[in-house]
Amino acid sequence: MKKRNLSVCNWALLLAMPLAVLGGVLLENLHGEAFCGLANPVWVWVHVALAAGAVLLALWHLNLNWKGVANWVRMFGHHRSWAFKLLFIFFFATLLTGLCALPFWLTHGHFGLGGVHGKLGIAFAWFAVVHIVQRTKWFQS
């Protein structure tokens, strides 16, 4: 059952994460302006929805691979790969800045913390690509 869940989770992540990242890149380039006839807040909410789904899948992925939340700190500490550790750090930094940016955006509109969140998200995406490329054999089997 775990192997099937991991397969479903990984393939869903492979579809969801690029959509969330593309939404973020779009927002980085819009600078608060409309796009394709849709106001910027529409694109922000699309990104929030896509990113929330991708985050839930990423947390499920961690849970499946590391056998529960209680093991996450220990597994992170024992992991040998610096690229993986940076992926993990950028994931949580992106998540935290996104969670902080959303209420400010709701009350004040476009502002600087969203840009910091976006830059962290791009760094996270780069390390996610490295993580996926290192595991291409898994997807080919």
Side-chain angles (χ1 to χ4, degrees):
M1 183 66 162
K2 178 192 169 199
K3 188 172 183 173
R4 179 168 162 34
N5 284 344
L6 194 55
S7 180
V8 168
C9 179
N10 288 348
W11 283 103
L13 257 175
L14 200 58
L15 294 172
M17 198 59 75
L19 293 174
V21 171
L22 285 174
V25 169
L26 177 69
L27 290 174
E28 280 288 311
N29 288 296
L30 288 179
H31 302 288
E33 298 298 320
F35 181 70
C36 289
L38 296 174
N40 186 262
V42 173
W43 293 110
V44 171
W45 284 114
V46 167
H47 174 65
V48 167
L50 291 170
V55 164
L56 290 174
L57 286 168
L59 294 174
W60 186 31
H61 175 79
L62 279 169
N63 192 50
L64 288 169
N65 279 294
W66 284 359
K67 299 172 184 75
V69 177
N71 293 322
W72 289 9
V73 172
R74 182 178 55 80
M75 296 295 283
F76 176 80
H78 288 117
H79 209 285
R80 295 181 314 272
S81 169
W82 64 268
F84 175 80
K85 287 185 175 188
L86 286 172
L87 168 71
F88 200 82
I89 290 166
F90 279 116
F91 170 76
F92 280 105
T94 303
L95 175 61
L96 290 175
T97 55
L99 290 172
C100 292
L102 184 59
F104 281 105
W105 176 77
L106 287 170
T107 57
H108 302 292
H110 188 74
F111 77 112
L113 185 57
V116 172
H117 166 72
K119 304 313 183 274
L120 289 168
I122 290 168
F124 160 72
W126 189 85
F127 284 103
V129 168
V130 170
H131 184 74
I132 292 164
V133 167
Q134 291 174 337
R135 288 151 181 84
T136 52
K137 286 186 179 182
W138 186 92
F139 285 101
Q140 293 170 345
S141 61

